[in-house]
Amino acid sequence: MLRINRRFPLLQCLRHAHNQVRVRFAPSPTGHLHLGGLRTALYNFLYARHLGGKFLLRIEDTDQTRLVPGASERLVEDLLWAGIEIDEGPGFGGQLGPYVQSERKLIYSKAIDELLQNGTAYRCFCTERRLDLLRKEALRTRQVPRYDNKCRHLTEKEVDSLLVKGTPHCIRFKLTDHEEPLEDLIYGRVHHNVSDTEGDPVVMKSDQFPTYHFANVVDDHLMGITHVLRGVEWQISTTKHLLLYKAFGWQPPKFGHLPLLVNADGTKLSKRQGDIGIQNFRERGFFPQALVNYVVSAGGGFDHKANAKLQLLSMEELYEKFQIERVNSHPSRLNPELLEDFNRLELAQRLLGKESRLKLVKQVQELVKKTYPQHSNLDLAEDHIADVLNWSSQRLTLLQDLTSSKLSFLWVKPSDFQLKDLTAHQLNNMLKLLRSLEDFHKDKLNTELKNFAQRENIKFPQMMKTLRAALSGLKEGPGVAEMMEILGQTVTLERLQEALPKEKLPLKQNQ
Ligand code: GLU
């Protein structure tokens, strides 16, 4: 039976009048956002946007002992970085807040009163010592520890006298039998009668803080959540939550549980593995949309054609195409190679836009400066970087790869090298030749340089050695023609000009 909510008319209006989908991501601020968390947030976001609904962020910080300072701020930053927009949440507005659980204590205590009054919850005065004994006894007899519901049976008089004495107590919820199975949006029908295996759960601790189960249900209801998409590890809890909704007389949201996210070989991702933290992907230089496509590629939710060419989808394309019925219920395997492929696609895509290209150029400038702090003579001209980026988009995975030692010649200008082995005339001709080439591809360069050496009667290997030194200051390294191709025509000419001994100057553009 649906009870009309007189205390929250706004909520009634949201839920019934607009019939709008409202989902939430409800992390506990106990650490960094990792791939699993991103996946949950992302699927909620895609679902909401697909149906024109709202995405809420709620911070579940009732377990004060596990709080990590600054974790909420970092979580938000990572979500925004990934392109997930928060419609309501702490710092984002919304009419059904506060969106941080520790600021909602009064709401929970009112809700607890409601359950105490309608007899679906009770005060429990059992001491830690008694509970400990129960646990030990269960272990001794090889049973799963569970509370024996002792305080359910206290009389009103007994409760009153304990209260008068100020006896510390918590509030427990009376588990009842499930009459209806859970209709999971992803797993289908799930039968689990929670009262068969668990004792009555604590809903409010003696420190007046609600437990996760209680606060989660109260908030999902009061925030007008229509669909809950969360990790499958919460599926058992959902059966408990359904009983709580029933006790309040509230209509529960629809639930969908997302399968485990696992490594390519099926092994579990460990939350402790620093390398699955979103910060870590960011620091390593992965792009957000590449990471989002990677996560989605593991979990499904899309009409996927076998052998289709890999495509990097924008967030809009993703939410337009998203179909919850297509989310897999078997474990989602992550294939790290795909992440690299997606990143290359995103790099190429970013090079196409003027603004995004400029942003990349700036990023590279920063990276290079950080990599070579002691060099004042770095080649950081915008055009040069843009050329290098164009070359790299087919070959490299990360911007960071551009600062590998093999490519140091791109940035560090050779110093004090002089092209003494060639005569002024030869140098002049070589510059003329290089300036005249329209195709600066390594094969073409190689042929042209070979022909040049023959014409000028210079030993080819010796000439290439000299050129390499002039271009990079290196004795060894990539082939000279390749180096020229990567450096591009302008920088190649610039560097050769700079290596000209003063007496062999001047050389004008039109010579
Ligand atoms: N606070 C829970 C978590 O940290 C939320 C679970 C849920 O979505 O209900 O994952």
Side-chain angles (χ1 to χ4, degrees), residues 260-412:
L260 268 188
L261 203 54
V262 294
N263 292 315
D265 61 2
T267 53
K268 220 175 138 201
L269 299 180
S270 154
K271 282 194 195 179
R272 267 172 248 287
Q273 261 167 256
D275 48 291
I276 62 160
I278 304 309
Q279 288 279 343
N280 190 281
F281 288 100
R282 290 177 64 172
E283 275 158 26
R284 279 158 64 205
F286 285 101
F287 294 120
Q289 205 50 28
L291 193 65
V292 161
N293 275 262
Y294 171 54
V295 168
V296 160
S297 71
F302 299 88
D303 197 358
H304 184 72
K305 307 219 175 11
N307 300 326
K309 199 168 145 246
L310 194 70
Q311 252 189 312
L312 180 84
L313 297 182
S314 68
M315 201 57 113
E316 290 76 18
E317 288 169 317
L318 284 175
Y319 61 64
E320 267 160 30
K321 291 175 194 281
F322 182 67
Q323 295 171 46
I324 194 156
E325 315 79 63
R326 290 195 176 268
V327 174
N328 304 321
S329 61
H330 51 78
S332 315
R333 288 174 191 252
L334 285 163
N335 173 1
E337 269 172 37
L338 278 183
L339 175 60
E340 305 206 339
D341 293 343
F342 282 128
N343 218 59
R344 268 191 292 274
L345 288 175
E346 187 161 356
L347 180 56
Q349 206 177 68
R350 284 175 176 240
L351 280 171
L352 293 177
K354 202 166 159 227
E355 239 172 76
S356 48
R357 187 172 58 229
L358 198 66
K359 222 168 133 194
L360 286 177
V361 167
K362 298 248 171 310
Q363 263 173 283
V364 173
Q365 286 173 333
E366 289 313 309
L367 269 173
V368 174
K369 280 192 226 159
K370 228 167 92 190
T371 316
Y372 303 102
Q374 67 281 51
H375 289 266
S376 53
N377 197 21
L378 295 172
D379 215 336
L380 293 177
E382 264 177 47
D383 289 346
H384 170 49
I385 298 180
D387 282 349
V388 172
L389 282 169
N390 276 328
W391 168 84
S392 70
S393 66
Q394 301 299 317
R395 299 160 175 90
L396 303 181
T397 305
L398 299 171
L399 283 189
Q400 265 82 339
D401 296 345
L402 286 172
T403 53
S404 81
S405 57
K406 266 199 267 166
L407 294 178
S408 65
F409 70 90
L410 284 172
W411 319 113
V412 180

Side-chain angles (χ1 to χ4, degrees), residues 426 450-460 463:
Q426 287 170 332
K450 249 186 210 137
N451 293 342
F452 176 84
Q454 245 173 21
R455 271 202 310 274
E456 300 284 336
N457 210 3
I458 317 171
K459 283 200 181 99
F460 182 65
M463 179 182 93

Side-chain angles (χ1 to χ4, degrees), residues 418-429:
Q418 301 207 330
L419 270 166
K420 285 193 180 121
D421 300 357
L422 306 178
T423 66
H425 183 72
Q426 287 170 332
L427 281 169
N428 233 333
N429 285 348

